[in-house]
Amino acid sequence: MTKQEKIDFTIKTLKELYPTIPIPLDHKDPYTLLIAVLLSAQSTDVRVNKITPLLFERADNPYAMIKLSVDEIREIIKPVGLSPMKSKGIHGLSKILIEKHNGKVPQSFEDLEELPAVGHKTASVVMSQAFGVAAFPVDTHIHRLLYRWGFSNGKNVTQTEKDAKRLFPKELWNELHLQIIWYGREYSPARGWNLEKDIITKAIGRMNVIKEYYKNKRPA
């Protein structure tokens, strides 16, 4: 296949597998999405989705959140990990939203990335999923798969994002990044990977990745 044929095959296969795309993190508005994405750093969406109802029952908007102490927030979110940093970030960004943005989540990358504990990936998820702005947030699944598929060199997530935006049509970015995440979880995980079930990698993947897979599968 040519590079373009591989891209077309990937888009077509993902569309067939995921014609409707569920959002991984439970939320009801831009603020609760922002908090959920912040909590998901180095955690799992399943774990975050168990904790956010407890947090949002106490505070589901910045005005209610700043009434909680950092320690109270930390105690609630402790199961998701990195709770000291995340609790300070949640309290701090909630205060800034009130002081600078009338309690609303800003609709720009620059304003979002100025908030405590909010990096480029978090901002990209919010811009994409809350506001429908074209973005391509790169998580571990996307980083892994674009390398396996030969679409990026795997050096870092910044380069992976650049490659994804260069290769895929902009109008598909918002749905594609979610489709790739779900595909990575179901068909091409980091652990317990079964290439025979991974139809995209098997069809278009890097030859060195595929050879290494079969080499490791050989009996001793």
Side-chain angles (χ1 to χ4, degrees), residues 14 18 141-142 144-145 148-149 178-190:
L14 291 172
Y18 307 103
H141 298 291
I142 293 173
R144 177 177 68 254
L145 291 188
R148 283 182 177 174
W149 296 342
L178 287 171
Q179 289 168 327
I180 295 172
I181 289 170
W182 285 112
Y183 185 89
R185 292 175 177 178
E186 296 188 62
Y187 295 93
S188 192

Side-chain angles (χ1 to χ4, degrees), residues 151-220:
F151 294 154
S152 191
N153 59 26
K155 286 184 178 179
N156 54 64
V157 294
T158 301
Q159 185 60 50
T160 298
E161 181 181 347
K162 288 180 181 178
D163 291 333
K165 288 180 172 180
R166 175 174 53 83
L167 294 171
F168 294 113
K170 188 173 184 177
E171 64 270 18
L172 298 181
W173 290 356
N174 287 355
E175 62 183 50
L176 264 176
H177 87 264
L178 287 171
Q179 289 168 327
I180 295 172
I181 289 170
W182 285 112
Y183 185 89
R185 292 175 177 178
E186 296 188 62
Y187 295 93
S188 192
R191 298 179 182 179
W193 180 32
N194 184 346
L195 182 60
E196 296 304 315
K197 295 180 179 178
D198 184 353
I199 52 179
I200 296 179
T201 306
K202 190 174 180 181
I204 71 164
R206 285 181 189 271
M207 286 310 300
N208 63 321
V209 171
I210 293 172
K211 287 177 181 177
E212 187 66 23
Y213 172 87
Y214 284 116
K215 178 182 176 182
N216 293 334
K217 288 294 181 180
R218 289 175 187 167

Side-chain angles (χ1 to χ4, degrees), residues 6-219:
K6 291 180 179 181
I7 292 168
D8 293 342
F9 175 82
T10 300
I11 293 171
K12 178 176 178 291
T13 303
L14 291 172
K15 187 67 175 176
E16 290 172 351
L17 290 172
Y18 307 103
T20 58
I21 313 160
I23 302 296
L25 291 168
D26 297 337
H27 65 284
K28 66 175 185 177
D29 56 25
Y31 178 75
T32 53
L33 175 62
L34 174 61
I35 300 303
V37 179
L38 187 156
L39 290 173
S40 70
Q42 296 186 38
S43 187
T44 65
D45 293 345
V46 171
R47 187 172 296 161
V48 171
N49 286 338
K50 289 180 179 178
I51 296 304
T52 47
L54 305 177
L55 178 62
F56 296 151
E57 185 178 7
R58 297 282 304 277
D60 63 356
N61 63 79
Y63 296 95
M65 193 67 75
I66 64 168
K67 292 179 181 178
L68 300 179
S69 69
V70 172
D71 287 341
E72 286 176 308
I73 298 171
R74 179 181 177 181
E75 191 60 33
I76 296 169
I77 68 171
K78 193 177 291 185
V80 303
L82 303 179
S83 59
M85 178 197 75
K86 292 176 180 178
S87 57
K88 290 178 183 177
I90 291 170
H91 195 276
L93 72 81
S94 298
K95 186 177 180 184
I96 292 173
L97 290 180
I98 294 169
E99 292 175 347
K100 293 184 63 176
H101 303 286
N102 298 314
K104 303 292 185 182
V105 176
Q107 299 186 36
S108 78
F109 286 96
E110 294 77 15
D111 287 338
L112 283 168
E113 290 179 36
E114 286 180 356
L115 298 172
V118 176
H120 180 66
K121 182 207 161 191
T122 297
S124 295
V125 173
V126 173
M127 291 297 286
S128 170
Q129 296 177 16
F131 302 124
V133 175
F136 213 109
V138 173
D139 74 342
T140 55
H141 298 291
I142 293 173
H143 185 55
R144 177 177 68 254
L145 291 188
L146 262 62
Y147 174 73
R148 283 182 177 174
W149 296 342
F151 294 154
S152 191
N153 59 26
K155 286 184 178 179
N156 54 64
V157 294
T158 301
Q159 185 60 50
T160 298
E161 181 181 347
K162 288 180 181 178
D163 291 333
K165 288 180 172 180
R166 175 174 53 83
L167 294 171
F168 294 113
K170 188 173 184 177
E171 64 270 18
L172 298 181
W173 290 356
N174 287 355
E175 62 183 50
L176 264 176
H177 87 264
L178 287 171
Q179 289 168 327
I180 295 172
I181 289 170
W182 285 112
Y183 185 89
R185 292 175 177 178
E186 296 188 62
Y187 295 93
S188 192
R191 298 179 182 179
W193 180 32
N194 184 346
L195 182 60
E196 296 304 315
K197 295 180 179 178
D198 184 353
I199 52 179
I200 296 179
T201 306
K202 190 174 180 181
I204 71 164
R206 285 181 189 271
M207 286 310 300
N208 63 321
V209 171
I210 293 172
K211 287 177 181 177
E212 187 66 23
Y213 172 87
Y214 284 116
K215 178 182 176 182
N216 293 334
K217 288 294 181 180
R218 289 175 187 167

